[in-house]
Amino acid sequence: MGFKDDKIDITKNIKVIEWLKSELLTAIASLFELFVKGIKDSQEALLDALANIILVTYLLGKRLGFSFESIDSKIENKIKLGVIEEHKIEKWYGDLSKLREYLNKSRR
């Protein structure tokens, strides 16, 4: 690949990163809008917004040079730390332990 091709790839990657950042903000805005409207009748839209946030976050991480595996590993480490430090969400509901169990089952 020549200099020109490298420049095109870098420019394309920057544009994709900017687009993904915009998509992430849009997904977060949609989530907040659903909270304002009330989520009682918007369960599918809420699930869609949450899934978009997770999806775009993985894709943005990939474009920034992180592998999906490294993102997963970082998440797992944060879960472990939250359990050890008895984060409030863990202490009150056990959500971090439940998430760790789910992730372990889904990877088998």
Side-chain angles (χ1 to χ4, degrees):
M1 233 201 287
F3 176 72
K4 187 175 180 183
D5 292 337
D6 289 344
K7 189 174 179 180
I8 291 170
D9 286 346
I10 291 169
T11 302
K12 183 178 177 184
N13 197 49
I14 290 170
K15 286 181 180 183
V16 170
I17 289 169
E18 292 303 314
W19 175 74
L20 287 168
K21 287 168 34 181
S22 174
E23 287 293 308
L24 182 58
L25 287 174
T26 299
I28 292 169
S30 295
L31 182 67
F32 277 83
E33 187 177 341
L34 289 168
F35 288 145
V36 169
K37 289 180 179 177
I39 59 173
K40 186 177 181 183
D41 298 325
S42 305
Q43 293 298 310
E44 187 61 33
L46 181 61
L47 185 59
D48 190 58
L50 291 169
N52 280 341
I53 291 167
I54 294 166
L55 175 63
V56 170
T57 301
Y58 269 93
L59 297 176
L60 182 58
K62 177 75 170 143
R63 289 295 96 220
L64 292 172
F66 300 103
S67 68
F68 299 139
E69 293 83 7
S70 67
I71 295 168
D72 282 348
S73 178
K74 184 59 81 171
I75 291 169
E76 290 169 7
N77 289 338
K78 288 187 168 290
I79 291 169
K80 287 177 191 173
L81 185 62
V83 170
I84 290 168
E85 293 181 347
E86 296 183 337
H87 188 281
K88 287 182 183 178
I89 197 82
E90 175 64 19
K91 197 172 183 179
W92 294 343
Y93 303 104
D95 286 353
L96 293 172
S97 294
K98 290 173 189 169
L99 179 56
R100 182 175 53 191
E101 288 173 25
Y102 167 76
L103 291 174
N104 288 336
K105 283 181 188 176
S106 68
R107 292 192 178 124
R108 288 182 194 164

